[in-house]
Amino acid sequence: MTIYINSINYEGSVVDGPGVRTVIYLQGCNRHCEGCHNQSTWDKNCGTKYEVTDLANELKKKVKNKKVTISGGEPFFQPDATCELIRQLDGFDICVYTGSEYEEIKRDFENILPLIHYLKVGKYKKELRTTMIPYVGSSNQRFLTLREGEIDE
Amino acid sequence: MNNWGQENASQRKTYVGVVFDRGEKLVKNEILENLPREWSELHTQGYIHIHDLDAYGLTYNCLTFNLFNNFPYYQFEGISETRKIIKLFDYYKEIIVKIGNEQSGGMAFPNFDCDTEFLLTKLGVKPNGINKQLIRDEINSFIEWCNNSHERMGEVSYYVTLNIGLADNELAREMCKYVIDEFSCSSARTIKPNIIFKVKRGVNSQKIDRNYYLYEKATLCTTKKMIPTYMLCDCESNKSYDAKKLSIMGCRTRVVADEHGENTAIGRSNIDYITINLPRLALESDKKIESFKSNWKAVASKVKDILLDRYYKLLQLSKTDFPTNAKYSLWYKDSNSISSVEEILKHGTLSIGFIGLSEAIEILTGQRYYETNSGYELAKEIVKYMRSYVDELRNNYKMNFSLLATSGEYISGRFPALDKQLFAHKVLDKDFYTNSFHINVDSKLTAFEKIEKEGYFHSLCNGGCISYVELKSAPIGNSEAIMELLSAAEEKGVHYMGFNFPLDICNACGEHGVFDICENCGSKDITRIRRVSGYLEILDYFTEGKKAEVKHRRENQCI
């Protein structure tokens, strides 16, 4: 199975979920939020093509603390590949940044949800931009900790 | 005389400040004129920098308070519990102000949480709700006072460091919590005191530890305020000592091993310190490592003479020259038990510092030390060489000579400006030298790589050092990342660690970020806070060299 990648930040991010995280920016997004900080990820015809297995192996080799954030673009714009990548990253602390709402992910990807530890949900709204809430870009977005796919309050 | 503006990140514009400033310069010149010419020329020509020159023969540098030698319990007799609480914090302020007049540098509380609890309990203050609320308010007010009291030298606030984290009973844990909570919710412009959280396995660093919640609180506070910084009590160079006896003074001074007594920081000082300009010696060594080393040793030998001369001049003073210490005995011993100040001062350190290891190696080899294995090996060899000479001095003179990774506040700009008049080299283009053994602020190393490389030097710099991780923006809420980096740091030998990120705060709406115009409300009323030389400062007050460094800062790839 193939997956299209915009870029991978192996250097460690401290603003994309708890801990120092490697961020995989997937290619392709059709939301086109105003003020998006990553517009180079929008076009689905760009990016680097990977075999999911190769990408998973590369991450297993390079990410020593096993903390990854799958971001974009919109990860669920490539639903099968994203799910496959999550499945292959067995034993990883996985965070996913999506523009969808939790209920939508739960409806469409119920099987994969128990494998995700953190989920950032909600579309970016420029007028609600914030720098004060951990891990989100606008105050309507939510950063969820999941346990067995359910929101851990 | 010089156009370097402020020597310390501070402002002295009032009448008293101006008079102090001019007086200080006159005294410095007078001292330089009276030193042997060979020594004063080393200073004026920029081979070395004699810090706090105006205090030469008059006082020592800094002190970790020994609160218990001669605590004035008698002053607390017959007053209400409310009054006792208020009076204890008044006492803290009193000693800070008065000691500030008797010494030239910073002051530290070794275990602010435990010691405050101990004193309150001993004074008979009961831990009831009303008293605890008052203690909390007093801690809030004390923090505010540390920012607003500009009495020192007419116009400067005090360099106060609170070491916390090892609280060993419920009330002490509350003291620790109050310090962190009150600092955490303080105004954006609250940047003092320096708070150092002591990280210790079995006490606070593991989830099962009793004080883990305090460690979590501390790291969470760091994600938005850059304070606390962290002393790693389990690292290679600290693990054999009693963590309660460790303390960092001012911004990084470390005093532990003692030629004349037990290994502790409590009640002890740095007496004086001199920094050697490594890039200058490299520029004069014609790319030959051996001549660099012998040049360094020749200068270090003179530095030793100056440090000793200054120490012996202090021995001519009597305890009445230190009236607050004579009264409260915040130093090593009870003042009533000593016949001369030597009994106190001999426990202090004499420190040989250095700046610009990175530039020196770039001059000697053409590459920065962290870019090649051979460069890194050379860096280690040079610092080991310096430390072994300092140890030799310690043995020969039975004095606490120490190697200091100097905080190069003023000299980071002064040295390259002088070197530029004599040499042409690309390391001089950026107008500042990199502090101590630090990796250049514009390196492309990840935070973990930087920690790994710098960690090695922490065990060697027994007079004090710090490593920083530079983050691109505030890691709001990400205490897990701070803990992860601290855990890696401890493993690599880092003894003291801080986190830096650019912090621009909109005074109109409170927005945090990195901006000239507030991205939320459009206000141009922005306070810029950056860390320089161990203390947070408001950017306008930076020295020129540090402003140049801040321009070159590149985050360690943590975004």
Side-chain angles (χ1 to χ4, degrees):
Chain A
M1 191 180 294
T2 54
I3 189 166
Y4 289 85
I5 299 293
N6 176 276
S7 57
I8 304 176
N9 169 14
Y10 280 115
E11 292 144 350
S13 163
V14 294
V15 295
D16 293 284
V20 180
R21 307 186 76 89
T22 297
V23 187
I24 304 119
Y25 295 97
L26 300 190
Q27 190 67 36
C29 182
N30 52 6
R31 293 183 197 280
H32 297 192
C33 301
E34 195 189 344
C36 171
H37 76 304
N38 216 353
Q39 298 191 14
S40 69
T41 62
W42 287 0
D43 187 346
K44 68 180 169 58
N45 298 315
C46 296
T48 312
K49 186 175 163 185
Y50 274 81
E51 275 302 314
V52 171
T53 308
D54 293 345
L55 175 62
N57 286 338
E58 184 182 312
L59 292 167
K60 284 177 192 167
K61 203 171 123 200
K62 286 194 176 176
V63 183
K64 299 207 169 57
N65 70 358
K66 294 194 168 185
K67 293 179 188 180
V68 295
T69 295
I70 302 171
S71 184
E74 168 56 60
F76 292 105
F77 195 71
Q78 302 180 61
D80 297 341
T82 293
C83 291
E84 181 58 23
L85 177 64
I86 292 169
R87 272 187 215 104
Q88 290 201 19
L89 289 174
D90 186 31
F92 270 63
D93 171 340
I94 296 171
C95 174
V96 178
Y97 269 52
T98 177
S100 299
E101 294 301 332
Y102 172 73
E103 293 69 22
E104 295 171 284
I105 301 295
K106 192 170 169 61
R107 183 190 65 209
D108 299 340
F109 302 97
E110 200 179 355
N111 294 337
I112 209 72
L113 215 48
L115 303 178
I116 298 172
H117 299 77
Y118 303 102
L119 188 67
K120 195 276 313 175
V121 295
K123 198 170 148 58
Y124 175 66
K125 291 186 178 164
K126 192 180 162 208
E127 65 280 10
L128 295 176
R129 184 185 173 280
T130 176
T131 54
M132 299 307 295
I133 305 173
Y135 319 129
V136 302
S138 57
S139 58
N140 61 302
Q141 297 179 316
R142 291 190 300 158
F143 189 84
L144 307 172
T145 302
L146 304 183
R147 188 183 295 240
E148 296 300 317
E150 300 294 329
I151 300 172
D152 188 16
E153 296 294 349
Chain B
M1 239 197 85
N2 65 53
N3 56 0
W4 284 100
Q6 316 305 325
E7 286 200 22
N8 290 308
S10 60
Q11 264 191 326
R12 294 181 197 159
K13 284 182 181 163
T14 60
Y15 148 64
V16 176
V18 168
V19 171
F20 183 93
D21 205 23
R22 286 175 61 181
E24 186 186 26
K25 286 194 173 76
L26 289 171
V27 171
K28 282 183 177 177
N29 284 336
E30 188 185 296
I31 285 164
L32 277 177
E33 277 166 24
N34 288 311
L35 285 180
R37 187 156 170 183
E38 189 186 20
W39 294 359
S40 60
E41 280 183 357
L42 281 173
H43 177 87
T44 53
Q45 292 173 2
Y47 287 93
I48 64 170
H49 189 83
I50 307 172
H51 296 270
D52 296 344
L53 190 55
D54 52 308
Y56 203 109
L58 291 175
T59 191
Y60 59 90
N61 175 16
C62 54
L63 177 67
T64 292
F65 293 147
N66 183 342
L67 291 168
F68 304 116
N69 265 335
N70 202 6
F71 184 81
Y73 290 106
Y74 63 90
Q75 292 183 15
F76 291 78
E77 283 165 15
I79 60 176
S80 70
E81 289 180 37
T82 300
R83 185 74 198 109
K84 281 174 181 171
I85 294 168
I86 295 169
K87 196 170 169 60
L88 178 65
F89 287 92
D90 283 350
Y91 172 71
Y92 287 168
K93 294 173 202 165
E94 178 194 340
I95 58 178
I96 289 168
V97 170
K98 289 183 177 171
I99 293 291
N101 288 334
E102 289 174 28
Q103 66 176 38
S104 63
M107 29 201 141
F109 289 79
N111 298 289
F112 186 80
D113 43 2
C114 305
D115 294 351
T116 300
E117 181 278 327
F118 178 87
L119 287 168
L120 287 170
T121 302
K122 188 142 189 207
L123 290 168
V125 173
K126 287 185 272 307
N128 59 35
I130 295 173
N131 283 345
K132 285 204 270 193
Q133 184 56 46
L134 180 58
I135 294 165
R136 191 183 182 116
D137 289 343
E138 280 295 312
I139 287 175
N140 176 299
S141 142
F142 180 63
I143 289 170
E144 208 170 280
W145 179 85
C146 286
N147 289 272
N148 295 335
S149 65
H150 288 181
E151 287 102 291
R152 180 177 179 257
M153 298 172 175
E155 191 67 23
V156 190
S157 54
Y158 296 94
Y159 289 124
V160 177
T161 299
L162 311 181
N163 292 268
I164 57 169
L166 302 179
D168 49 9
N169 64 45
E170 213 34 59
L171 190 56
R173 279 188 272 277
E174 297 221 24
M175 298 298 130
C176 184
K177 177 174 171 288
Y178 296 161
V179 171
I180 301 166
D181 284 351
E182 293 306 314
F183 190 82
S184 182
C185 68
S186 63
S187 79
R189 292 178 76 94
T190 300
I191 54 176
K192 284 181 175 177
N194 190 23
I195 301 170
I196 297 174
F197 192 90
K198 294 180 176 181
V199 183
K200 177 76 186 161
R201 208 170 296 128
V203 178
N204 55 33
S205 71
Q206 310 298 311
K207 279 195 172 135
I208 51 162
D209 293 341
R210 190 69 190 80
N211 292 6
Y212 182 73
Y213 74 106
L214 296 170
Y215 184 38
E216 273 187 314
K217 268 184 179 297
T219 47
L220 205 54
C221 182
T222 299
T223 68
K224 63 171 182 178
K225 302 274 289 183
M226 286 187 262
I227 287 178
T229 49
Y230 297 85
M231 181 176 359
L232 301 167
C233 300
D234 297 312
C235 81
E236 189 58 37
S237 54
N238 284 339
K239 66 182 181 191
S240 61
Y241 297 116
D242 176 354
K244 276 211 176 156
K245 291 184 176 168
L246 295 170
S247 163
I248 289 167
M249 265 179 280
C251 68
R252 75 192 58 190
T253 303
R254 183 174 192 271
V255 174
V256 192
D258 190 357
E259 289 297 307
H260 303 286
E262 64 160 338
N263 298 324
T264 180
I266 300 171
R268 295 178 59 201
S269 299
N270 166 253
I271 301 297
D272 54 356
Y273 68 113
I274 292 175
T275 300
I276 299 179
N277 178 357
L278 298 184
R280 164 71 63 87
L281 301 179
L283 287 163
E284 291 186 349
S285 300
D286 195 26
K287 299 192 176 181
K288 294 189 183 77
I289 311 298
E290 287 314 309
S291 41
F292 172 76
K293 284 186 185 169
S294 59
N295 284 348
W296 181 84
K297 195 178 250 181
V299 172
S301 168
K302 302 287 174 209
V303 163
K304 170 258 300 173
D305 293 337
I306 305 171
L307 290 170
L308 283 172
D309 177 66
R310 189 164 172 164
Y311 170 71
Y312 288 124
K313 285 203 164 69
L314 286 184
L315 295 191
Q316 292 166 20
L317 301 175
S318 79
K319 59 186 175 188
T320 54
D321 293 307
F322 302 97
T324 309
N325 259 323
K327 184 175 175 189
Y328 296 130
S329 302
L330 298 159
W331 51 22
Y332 198 76
K333 274 185 176 173
D334 187 340
S335 306
N336 297 313
S337 73
I338 61 164
S339 53
S340 78
V341 292
E342 184 177 5
E343 290 178 56
I344 302 296
L345 297 177
K346 70 181 180 186
H347 298 286
T349 57
L350 309 180
S351 296
I352 299 183
F354 63 95
I355 187 171
L357 177 68
S358 179
E359 284 83 4
I361 287 179
E362 191 174 345
I363 294 161
L364 291 169
T365 69
Q367 277 170 311
R368 292 173 173 186
Y369 80 77
Y370 50 86
E371 289 172 343
T372 62
N373 282 338
S374 60
Y376 188 48
E377 290 307 313
L378 178 61
K380 294 201 277 190
E381 182 188 326
I382 288 172
V383 180
K384 274 194 281 190
Y385 178 81
M386 295 194 288
R387 171 63 189 272
S388 74
Y389 179 70
V390 170
D391 282 350
E392 210 177 296
L393 296 176
R394 190 178 264 260
N395 286 332
N396 293 347
Y397 292 88
K398 297 294 169 216
M399 291 292 304
N400 293 310
F401 279 99
S402 302
L403 183 65
L404 171 71
T406 312
S407 60
E409 200 171 320
Y410 166 62
I411 52 175
S412 64
R414 178 185 174 239
F415 281 155
L418 289 166
D419 292 348
K420 242 180 167 167
Q421 295 169 11
L422 302 167
F423 301 93
H425 194 285
K426 66 177 177 181
V427 303
L428 296 166
D429 294 345
K430 62 189 190 311
D431 292 324
F432 69 91
Y433 285 153
T434 303
N435 260 356
S436 63
F437 55 69
H438 285 177
I439 283 167
N440 294 51
V441 286
D442 60 352
S443 86
K444 291 180 181 167
L445 298 189
T446 67
F448 289 109
E449 287 166 337
K450 181 173 189 277
I451 286 168
E452 179 167 1
K453 290 252 183 322
E454 291 188 356
Y456 180 85
F457 301 110
H458 280 245
S459 301
L460 294 170
C461 297
N462 54 347
C465 58
I466 186 166
S467 278
Y468 293 114
V469 168
E470 305 286 340
L471 304 172
K472 190 176 176 184
S473 61
I476 299 283
N478 199 346
S479 58
E480 186 176 322
I482 303 291
M483 290 184 186
E484 207 174 334
L485 291 161
L486 286 170
S487 162
E490 182 220 298
E491 199 179 300
K492 299 300 175 192
V494 170
H495 118 93
Y496 182 35
M497 176 104 185
F499 297 86
N500 297 338
F501 42 84
L503 187 55
D504 296 338
I505 296 164
C506 172
N507 294 319
C509 75
E511 176 90 347
H512 285 51
V514 186
F515 43 63
D516 296 316
I517 297 169
C518 176
E519 291 168 357
N520 183 45
C521 74
S523 166
K524 289 180 183 170
D525 182 11
I526 309 295
T527 294
R528 294 174 187 286
I529 294 168
R530 301 291 185 272
R531 192 191 310 278
V532 163
S533 311
Y535 293 98
L536 293 188
E537 300 290 354
I538 294 177
L539 192 60
D540 304 345
Y541 303 163
F542 277 10
T543 58
E544 295 298 327
K546 279 294 160 187
K547 275 188 194 160
E549 187 215 288
V550 168
K551 265 202 302 204
H552 278 72
R553 265 187 204 178
R554 187 180 191 289
E555 67 283 2
N556 299 121
Q557 304 293 335
C558 269
I559 57 171

